[in-house]
Amino acid sequence: MPSPEERFDAIVLGAGGAGLMCAAAAGQRGKRVLVIDHAGQAGKKILISGGGRCNFTNIHTAPDRYLSANPHFAKSALGRYTPADFLALVERHGIAWHEKTLGQLFCDGSARQIVAMLLAECQAGGVAIRLDHPIGAVSHGDGRFRVTHGDRVAIAPSLVIATGGPSIPKIGATGFAYDLARQFGLKIVEPRPALVPLTLGGEELLFRSLSGVSADVIARCGRAAFREAALLTHRGLSGPAILQISSYWRHGGSIDLDFLPDQAAGWMIEAKRARPRITLTTLLRGLLPDRLADVLAERLGLTGDLGNMPGRKLQEAEQRLRAWTFRPNGTEGFAKAEVTIGGIATAELSSRTMEARRVPGLYAVGEAVDVTGWLGGYNFQWAWASGWAAGQAL
């Protein structure tokens, strides 16, 4: 016997950050909202973020810190729901927080507090949340969306795609959002892993001997540059600077690392004058971790005292240390990617409401959309801002 159909004002697919924010905003406006998720727990990505303390926003949020085929798309939502707005919500719920480097805000306690806050906001709006309910058929007709989930059927004039991207599949992430978007005729910008370690091969495998060594660098790819730590791994390159630059890197391209960003131009010639008896290895050991200094000095191929080296050779070595080129052969994939770049094309959506232009009542928010932020709380701020924007429009 078929299940009775339940009627709502809006159905939100996905109980992550963007979905819960959207549902809470709409529910508190008096809308009858249902949230459905196949996972048995809400906010799974929130729970594992920031080492379990959730880097929930960044005070330096600005549209130029997001990647998208349309770099202007994020301006509206980000401008109308800011880090200060989310911080006010955090403080209203009595959650203690602290600022780390580069404007990153974290919970003093646990990421569970952020999930509990969002669930409390949903409860305040009378939102129905159904977890552990696999989503079955989704259809649209007569101005209504029909969603089969488990043994139930829900109907609403509005449907929100908030199921994220395929990054971190171990927590249940899939490309479901893209399949659903395509079903309704929406275009997809090719999804690829972002904020992800890069892998090395060929000659660069020599750096595997340095697995576990990290250094403060400037990582560059095209016009993008980030100064943070880089970590050498048994597979290639990782650490914050590499995760950041990975969003800009494309297969076949290269990245440059400045291993000595604090050294002024001509510092090697100056070192030759001041300490002519020192070797390049000893000089670099004073500036970098010993193991890294040894490998870089060996690759530069300059032996003996600096005083016996031609100035031209020292200038070439300095230049190479300032822009040491790596040609990654890939990434560690969606399994290790913190987010997905690409997704539902912004050209299909209203930047103010997140509603699909060609399918009235269909919305997309959060990571499912082709808007990807830098590392450091920016992607959560997009989740809050895009979810809130849709929640105001439902």
Side-chain angles (χ1 to χ4, degrees):
M1 186 174 173
S3 300
E5 296 177 342
E6 301 172 279
R7 297 182 182 274
F8 296 88
D9 295 316
I11 301 168
V12 178
L13 304 182
L20 293 176
M21 175 61 87
C22 176
Q28 290 179 26
R29 293 177 52 245
K31 302 294 182 179
R32 188 161 182 245
V33 183
L34 169 66
V35 177
I36 308 171
D37 201 303
H38 69 107
Q41 190 174 27
K44 291 185 80 172
K45 203 163 190 179
I46 297 172
L47 294 173
I48 65 170
S49 68
R53 290 192 171 180
C54 188
N55 178 191
F56 57 80
T57 192
N58 194 299
I59 60 174
H60 300 312
T61 294
D64 65 357
R65 301 187 174 203
Y66 292 83
L67 290 79
S68 173
N70 176 0
H72 302 290
F73 181 83
K75 288 180 179 177
S76 177
L78 292 173
R80 288 183 298 125
Y81 193 88
T82 68
D85 293 321
F86 191 77
L87 188 56
L89 182 63
V90 166
E91 292 186 330
R92 194 163 78 242
H93 282 260
I95 299 172
W97 58 276
H98 61 279
E99 180 182 347
K100 288 182 77 172
T101 57
L102 305 172
Q104 303 169 64
L105 304 190
F106 288 77
C107 298
D108 284 359
S110 167
R112 294 183 182 280
Q113 295 172 284
I114 298 295
V115 176
M117 175 190 78
L118 293 170
L119 292 175
E121 288 292 309
C122 283
Q123 186 174 20
V127 174
I129 298 178
R130 292 177 187 160
L131 303 175
D132 209 11
H133 274 69
I135 298 164
V138 179
S139 60
H140 182 230
D142 299 324
R144 298 182 303 170
F145 294 89
R146 188 173 187 271
V147 180
T148 301
H149 54 294
D151 60 355
R152 301 188 182 196
V153 176
I155 288 178
S158 296
L159 179 72
V160 183
I161 302 173
T163 54
S167 59
I168 320 183
K170 69 181 180 183
I171 62 170
T174 69
F176 176 81
Y178 313 145
D179 297 336
L180 191 56
R182 288 189 187 99
Q183 177 185 326
F184 289 106
L186 305 188
K187 293 178 181 174
I188 304 296
V189 175
E190 179 193 1
R192 55 191 174 89
L195 303 183
V196 63
L198 300 173
T199 57
L200 300 174
E203 278 190 19
E204 291 171 335
L205 286 177
L206 290 172
F207 283 89
R208 277 188 180 174
S209 65
L210 299 174
S211 182
V213 173
S214 67
D216 181 46
V217 304
I218 296 176
R220 293 188 176 90
C221 184
R223 295 182 180 179
F226 296 93
R227 180 168 179 170
E228 288 192 73
L231 172 69
L232 293 141
T233 74
H234 69 287
R235 297 191 65 187
L237 299 167
S238 188
I242 302 302
L243 298 185
Q244 292 280 36
I245 213 67
S246 71
S247 296
Y248 295 83
W249 176 80
R250 300 300 293 256
H251 278 278
S254 62
I255 65 166
D256 292 336
L257 297 189
D258 181 348
F259 282 111
L260 295 167
D262 290 325
Q263 298 304 311
W267 71 274
M268 274 199 179
I269 300 293
E270 186 57 40
K272 174 182 175 178
R273 290 195 196 102
R275 305 167 70 188
R277 301 293 298 276
I278 197 172
T279 65
L280 179 59
T281 300
T282 304
L283 180 65
L284 292 180
R285 277 185 163 219
L287 300 167
L288 293 165
D290 288 355
R291 287 165 60 201
L292 177 59
D294 292 350
V295 168
L296 292 178
E298 180 186 351
R299 298 294 290 272
L300 289 168
L302 298 181
T303 57
D305 298 346
L306 289 191
N308 294 322
M309 294 180 192
R312 179 177 56 81
K313 290 287 188 185
L314 293 179
Q315 287 176 333
E316 289 172 357
E318 181 183 316
Q319 191 57 41
R320 193 164 178 207
L321 289 167
R322 183 173 287 124
W324 198 287
T325 300
F326 290 89
R327 294 195 176 278
N329 60 8
T331 75
E332 291 197 20
F334 285 117
K336 295 294 179 69
E338 296 202 11
V339 292
T340 304
I341 206 165
I344 298 172
T346 56
E348 302 281 6
L349 307 173
S350 160
S351 62
R352 182 168 182 82
T353 65
M354 311 303 294
E355 185 176 17
R357 298 182 186 281
R358 293 184 290 168
V359 188
L362 180 66
Y363 298 75
V365 297
E367 191 182 342
V369 179
D370 175 33
V371 175
T372 306
W374 288 1
L375 184 71
Y378 293 100
N379 287 293
F380 275 130
Q381 187 57 39
W382 170 246
W384 318 138
S386 61
W388 183 88
Q392 297 304 307
L394 288 172

